[in-house]
Amino acid sequence: MNSAVMPSGRSPLVAGLALLLAVLTSGCRADDVSINVEGTRTSIPGEQATLKAASLAEAIEFVRKDGKERTTPVTYMINLPAEAQILGQPLTISGPEPPAGSRIIIRGAPGGTRISGATFVQNHLKLSRSRDGRYEYALPFSELPGETAQKLLRKLSTITPRQLMIRVNGKTRLQSTRWPTSGFLPVVEIAGDPRSSTATMAFADLPDGVRRSPDLWIGGYLTDSYLFVNARALAVDSKGVLTDRNRLRADGKPPERLYFYNLATFAQCNSFFYDASARTLNFCSEEPIETLEVPVLDTLLAVSGFHNLTVRDVVFELAIETAVTVRDSVAINFSNVIVQLAGADGIAYTNSSDSRIDHASIRAVGRRGAWLSGGDRASLTPGHISIEDSSIQDFSLVYRTFAPAVQMDGVGMSVRRSVIFNGPQFGILYSGNDHVIEDNLLAQLVTEAGDSGFIYSARDFTSQGTVIRRNALLGTGGRYFNDARGIYLDEFSSGNLVTDNVIVGIPYGILMNGGKDNKLLSNLFILSSPSIWGAALGYASWWQVWRNDHMQVPGGLSVRNLYSLPVDKEPWTSRYPEIAGYKHSDLLRPERNLIEGNKFMGAGSITAFDGDIPTAEVRNNSAVVYRGSLQLLERMRNWIAPSQLDETLALVSSELDRHGLTEHIPLRAPDRAGAQLPGDRFATLSEFK
């Protein structure tokens, strides 16, 4: 037995004998081991023989060593104290494993235990200015412990400063300084020699704060309305801002929406900037800084090549990159957890299976809330990874596009009974086969990016078998939409079943851009116009410039899986009977798409022809004239807070009742979505609109 993990005050030998005797006399299973991390409550009902560990890392190391010595299955229960666990390095759980059938449970205190990758640096701050409710500080890296300073310097040389999720006084997340303080500004023209690798973006006006910022960053839609870019400004002068030309459009068209950040001045408070030459972080707070947490770890928990781990009642927070990673693992579960303030993803599964996230709250993350990837597409073996009864909000804070609340790849992923709220682009992005998206509430999405959907899939004829059903999509914040779609089956997405969804206030409620064998059945559209649009994308004249990129056999973007996966063999031919004939068909022509039994309330429409080309068969759809009040229209136009979701759903339900569409009411948010931790406190999002 590891001498660092033992009953307090005893030698290893005496401790081991005492533990064995306690187990035998108490009637507990000899293959159950309970470990209390220092500070944990001393008595846990029903658990007699309890070891002690100085830290969570030490408890995990004990399990690793102890498991190697065992030949029969064992359950390890690691109990955490209420006190926060401040990590010095990421927690890693990997092989060798305990015997087959064993499991590890990491359990936080009843109010939740915080696992943090940040360090407290308030003792190293220098107050530089204090006036009118603004407190400005500098944090010289020379004042920090050497290892901490070096970690930050290395990271800040490779990442955008926005990935630092910095928290003040345990409640307020600081933003990177920016101009303009909200919204975007257009570029007037692109100047410079077109043959040069750099270009100058000229603006109507730039404030001195931008011109005097040596470490300026650019954020914006530099090439396309659906693709956000973070890029360093190479130089700033009276002519404009110098950047890499390859960041801009090849045709020279100036970007219409960008902003600058990491300005060396405070246009707004509750913000920070990084000065690379001075090696300082600089802060402005609306109240005196008593505690300041700066993340120094990339990842908090990394699981690799492992089976049977459950983590519950824990708060993961303050990581520079992805908070929790799971690779090549089976049955790795997270229950009643919070993941927040991560510079990249919240929880990311890759090449894993039979795992679940349930009753989780994932929020304030720089990229995806959860990435679910597993299963085998060639054999259509499902990965069975799910996120259920959870809440994901305020995601994509750094990487504004292609960073959805949930991304699903592979085979057999699912999102069920969850709330997805407040993001600039996609809520759910999927590829692969046989996914399930059901009974979710998605609201206030696609509020910044263009040509994007609440739920989105594209560029793969073989991504078939996904079911999207009984979801409610609310287009709140609609006046900020830029070509928003509800359910977007883009660029030949095929074989989807979209049924019994309620779509409110979203233009292009469902959009099909080509594709085959899609079924759009019994959906309800409220104030969403056009409601269903089926396009023959491959025949559009404007799209022909991309035709070879997509359709060139065998490696085109939309056909490469069709020519690399065994679609003409079992189990593909049984699962998707039509797909074996795709290679011999006109792939550009929509075929066997069905629009049936849908209902429309207020300005509903179906487009099932693109010129002379039919895009879907249409049957038994119906419309109801909207005779409601303007209250619902106004609600859809404006931003709402999470606390207004239930009220908004009730407002929609009342209009459905008024119009006799009672089969969908009452509309309700999923019950108990998210973590239930009494000690929860959320960092204030000062950018919430």
Side-chain angles (χ1 to χ4, degrees):
M1 180 180 289
N2 185 347
S3 61
V5 183
M6 59 184 176
S8 178
R10 302 181 183 181
S11 70
L13 178 59
V14 173
L17 292 173
L19 171 59
L20 179 59
L21 179 62
V23 169
L24 294 175
T25 58
S26 67
C28 293
R29 291 168 50 195
D31 52 3
D32 286 350
V33 177
S34 185
I35 306 169
N36 279 3
V37 174
E38 186 173 336
T40 307
R41 55 204 183 280
T42 57
S43 176
I44 301 175
E47 296 178 4
Q48 301 296 322
T50 302
L51 306 177
K52 292 187 181 296
S55 67
L56 176 54
E58 188 175 276
I60 290 172
E61 178 63 11
F62 167 77
V63 169
R64 188 182 70 82
K65 292 182 177 179
D66 186 73
K68 290 167 59 178
E69 306 299 323
R70 293 179 178 267
T71 58
T72 58
V74 57
T75 295
Y76 296 97
M77 178 73 75
I78 300 176
N79 304 300
L80 301 180
E83 292 78 13
Q85 303 295 293
I86 309 299
L87 302 181
Q89 59 186 13
L91 300 168
T92 58
I93 299 178
S94 59
E97 299 182 4
S102 300
R103 60 178 180 155
I104 301 174
I105 300 172
I106 299 175
R107 180 173 60 186
T113 298
R114 296 178 178 274
I115 297 178
S116 170
T119 185
F120 286 88
V121 298
Q122 61 274 4
N123 293 338
H124 305 288
L125 288 175
K126 308 294 183 185
L127 181 64
S128 54
R129 181 179 300 178
S130 172
R131 65 179 184 184
D132 301 328
R134 293 166 60 98
Y135 301 86
E136 298 181 15
Y137 301 83
L139 176 65
F141 285 9
S142 60
E143 298 289 325
L144 295 173
E147 185 178 355
T148 300
Q150 289 304 312
K151 283 181 181 178
L152 287 170
L153 286 169
R154 283 195 300 269
K155 289 305 296 185
L156 286 166
S157 68
T158 60
I159 65 169
T160 163
R162 296 177 72 186
Q163 273 192 238
L164 289 184
M165 299 287 174
I166 297 172
R167 185 166 63 189
V168 166
N169 297 339
K171 61 182 181 180
T172 302
R173 183 183 72 86
L174 300 185
Q175 298 183 77
S176 182
T177 53
R178 61 165 283 177
W179 186 82
T181 55
S182 63
F184 299 91
L185 68 154
V187 176
V188 174
E189 65 174 346
I190 304 295
D193 186 345
R195 296 168 296 181
S196 171
S197 62
T198 60
T200 298
M201 298 185 294
F203 298 85
D205 181 44
L206 288 179
D208 289 341
V210 173
R211 300 182 189 279
R212 294 198 306 264
S213 299
D215 301 299
L216 193 67
W217 281 72
I218 304 161
Y221 296 84
L222 303 187
T223 58
D224 298 282
S225 66
Y226 55 81
L227 184 61
F228 187 92
V229 174
N230 291 289
R232 294 179 189 269
L234 303 180
V236 186
D237 58 25
S238 59
K239 297 179 181 179
V241 177
L242 189 70
T243 190
D244 289 323
R245 186 174 291 276
N246 61 12
R247 294 284 193 178
L248 304 173
R249 291 176 61 106
D251 61 8
K253 182 180 178 181
E256 297 178 355
R257 296 189 298 156
L258 61 76
Y259 55 79
F260 300 105
Y261 65 93
N262 201 48
L263 276 68
T265 185
F266 294 111
Q268 75 275 47
C269 215
N270 286 346
S271 59
F272 76 97
F273 67 87
Y274 172 56
D275 186 330
S277 59
R279 295 188 172 188
T280 61
L281 283 169
N282 303 271
F283 310 95
C284 180
S285 173
E286 293 178 349
E287 58 186 25
I289 294 180
E290 297 177 1
T291 62
L292 181 66
E293 297 164 271
V294 177
V296 292
L297 295 186
D298 284 355
T299 299
L300 306 180
L301 173 63
V303 182
S304 178
F306 207 79
H307 289 65
N308 294 332
L309 168 70
T310 296
V311 181
R312 65 187 191 220
D313 305 334
V314 162
V315 180
F316 293 101
E317 62 180 11
L318 294 161
I320 297 175
E321 301 285 352
T322 297
V324 176
T325 63
V326 180
R327 295 185 176 90
D328 307 314
S329 296
V330 179
I332 310 299
N333 304 310
F334 298 88
S335 181
N336 201 37
V337 300
I338 295 172
V339 183
Q340 63 184 17
L341 299 169
D345 298 339
I347 302 176
Y349 288 88
T350 54
N351 195 33
S352 297
S353 65
D354 300 298
S355 300
R356 185 176 69 178
I357 303 168
D358 73 87
H359 294 94
S361 295
I362 304 174
R363 57 205 187 189
V365 295
R367 196 163 53 196
R368 296 168 291 207
W371 180 23
L372 314 181
S373 182
D376 179 68
R377 293 200 66 197
S379 63
L380 294 178
T381 302
H384 295 306
I385 306 176
S386 66
I387 181 166
E388 303 174 0
D389 304 295
S390 293
S391 170
I392 305 175
Q393 70 176 75
D394 304 307
F395 52 94
S396 307
L397 295 181
V398 179
Y399 302 94
R400 305 290 285 172
T401 55
F402 293 90
V406 181
Q407 179 173 334
M408 300 189 295
D409 306 321
V411 184
M413 308 293 109
S414 60
V415 186
R416 292 184 168 97
R417 300 181 304 278
S418 294
V419 176
I420 295 174
F421 179 76
N422 204 40
Q425 198 190 34
F426 309 131
I428 298 173
L429 170 65
Y430 70 90
S431 64
N433 299 82
D434 301 337
H435 306 310
V436 176
I437 303 168
E438 66 182 4
D439 299 315
N440 303 290
L441 171 61
L442 296 88
Q444 207 150 286
L445 305 173
V446 198
T447 55
E448 185 177 286
D451 192 21
S452 302
F454 283 48
I455 300 172
Y456 184 86
S457 186
R459 297 185 178 183
D460 191 354
F461 287 97
T462 70
S463 284
Q464 304 216 357
T466 290
V467 177
I468 304 171
R469 64 186 168 212
R470 298 193 304 269
N471 302 283
L473 283 62
L474 299 183
T476 55
R479 63 178 171 176
Y480 302 101
F481 283 163
N482 181 24
D483 293 332
R485 291 83 163 89
I487 299 171
Y488 195 176
L489 308 178
D490 197 11
E491 294 175 327
F492 314 108
S493 180
S494 298
N496 299 279
L497 172 60
V498 182
T499 182
D500 294 297
N501 301 282
V502 178
I503 300 174
V504 187
I506 305 171
Y508 294 96
I510 300 177
L511 175 57
M512 283 190 303
N513 257 339
K516 304 175 187 293
D517 300 299
N518 293 300
K519 304 292 186 284
L520 314 182
L521 311 177
S522 304
N523 300 285
L524 173 61
F525 301 83
I526 304 166
L527 302 175
S528 295
S529 182
S531 303
I532 300 176
W533 187 286
L537 175 69
Y539 289 95
S541 59
W542 59 267
W543 187 81
Q544 300 311 305
V545 66
W546 292 289
R547 179 169 176 164
N548 282 343
D549 292 340
H550 279 261
M551 309 306 292
Q552 185 70 41
V553 174
L557 294 173
S558 293
V559 299
R560 57 190 174 192
N561 287 331
L562 187 62
Y563 284 87
S564 62
L565 291 169
V567 298
D568 53 354
K569 299 178 181 178
E570 291 291 349
W572 284 80
T573 51
S574 294
R575 193 82 57 85
Y576 320 117
E578 302 289 351
I579 198 170
Y582 279 24
K583 295 177 187 177
H584 311 293
S585 70
D586 179 356
L587 289 173
L588 299 180
R589 180 175 289 273
E591 293 180 300
R592 296 179 301 279
N593 296 313
L594 176 62
I595 301 171
E596 182 175 16
N598 300 280
K599 294 184 179 181
F600 313 95
M601 186 174 80
S605 69
I606 299 173
T607 299
F609 275 83
D610 195 336
D612 295 329
I613 301 171
T615 58
E617 182 181 357
V618 179
R619 300 179 193 159
N620 302 323
N621 301 280
S622 59
V624 174
V625 175
Y626 183 68
R627 293 188 171 86
S629 70
L630 296 179
Q631 186 179 3
L632 180 58
L633 285 166
E634 190 64 19
R635 175 60 59 89
M636 289 298 108
R637 281 178 43 79
N638 295 306
W639 298 96
I640 66 170
S643 59
Q644 295 175 289
L645 281 170
D646 286 338
E647 177 189 337
T648 303
L649 288 169
L651 183 59
V652 175
S653 292
S654 69
E655 293 298 341
L656 292 177
D657 188 43
R658 183 201 304 259
H659 291 79
L661 300 173
T662 57
E663 63 268 33
H664 290 280
I665 60 174
L667 283 177
R668 286 192 297 254
D671 292 336
R672 299 185 70 248
Q676 308 293 319
L677 292 175
D680 179 26
R681 67 181 190 277
F682 185 28
T684 301
L685 284 182
S686 51
E687 72 177 8
F688 179 75
K689 297 171 182 163

